[in-house]
Amino acid sequence: MAGASATDDSSASTAGMRDDDRSLSGESLSEWRSCDQGESGSPSTSPPFWDTDYDDDDPAGPKPSELYGRHTWRIENFSKEKKREMKSEPFEAGGYKWYILVYPQGCDVSNHLSLFLCVANHDKLLPGWSHFAQFTIAVGNMDPKKIKYSDTLHRFWKKEHDWGWKKFMELSKIQDGFLVDDVLEIIAQVQVIREKVDRPFRCLDRPYRRELLRVYTTNIEQIYRRFIEERRNKLTKLIEDKIRWSSFRAFWSAIDPRTRHRMSREKTDIILKVLVKHFFVEKEVTSTLVMDSLYTGLKALEYQSMGKKGRTKIAELDELPAPMVNVDMDIFVLAGDVITLLERAALEPLPCQPVSPKDDKCSQSRMKV
């Protein structure tokens, strides 16, 4: 589902387009931050299902781990390198060949290291080919907490067979622990996206998903917090408007119980489609990790509704606030009186969340002269 939605928006070339005109894959933001931002010890609002994998017992189709690949490239004597561009050895991920392309002195920019992920032998592939992929490129550091990550989601095809960052990092910063014995270590992780209709969003290999979470948890929580706070503000204004709120209460009380029961329920897939549409339309998705978290949140809600305690970390559900929604088979059901729930949604404080500075950079296509 996530892959299909994004693919529809990413079929146009980025050549000659302004940054704000690019589609989802081109506009995906690279989150450039240190690993220790996700491990600061600050309270997290993430659901307790991020490390679980519900596809282990599903024999149909390739598993996420089979569509994942990792490659480490060590460039020796980097400070003495005079080549304009360098290519790594090809490596495989998801049944396709890839390579890393680096510009030691920058690609169409100065004083920056440029890095790109490229499809190998793209000119020999069949017409109409395309690979939708999530990928991360990182530059290693002597201090493992200072590794520099850039992460994005992109559909590779004939006119966009390479994608990455012209301004991955400033050359002046490379000397700050990123060269060890004049060796620069570049790590690429690639996840080809092939969604399953009955298991949406579960498209990342579990260790890769866990690593991304460690780096980007704060950013994802900020995205969801903005989403919730926007709607809380609208609801608060409604409740504060005494005339409108009293009219709504009178309207709801006048409805017969059977109709109220029916209006308090909705199919799960309808709710999920609305959420997916919002995040894609608003271009909040920087990676499949955001959509993946929606699905894990749904799983947490399902297990909380069923009261199951068998899986790892399920006990943490006891510490969560009482849910406003229960899941009954494939139906979302409001957990209580609508009026009470609306007041609670508007007034109940949100969990505390740490705020970290962002250093966003747009991913872009490498445009050759």
Side-chain angles (χ1 to χ4, degrees), residues 83-135:
K83 293 180 181 178
R84 179 175 178 269
E85 66 176 44
M86 304 175 67
K87 297 180 180 180
S88 73
E89 291 293 325
F91 64 95
E92 185 171 329
Y96 303 108
K97 294 289 186 179
W98 312 82
Y99 67 87
I100 307 168
L101 179 64
V102 60
Y103 287 76
Q105 302 300 321
C107 173
D108 301 332
V109 296
S110 59
N111 303 319
H112 282 82
L113 177 71
S114 301
L115 284 174
F116 301 89
L117 178 69
C118 309
V119 178
N121 301 323
H122 61 86
D123 54 338
K124 298 180 181 179
L125 296 177
L126 294 174
W129 68 270
S130 68
H131 312 334
F132 197 72
Q134 161 101 34
F135 69 94

Side-chain angles (χ1 to χ4, degrees), residues 50-66:
W50 291 81
D51 288 342
T52 60
D53 195 332
Y54 293 92
D55 288 338
D56 289 342
D57 57 352
D58 184 9
K63 296 181 179 180
S65 58
E66 297 170 346

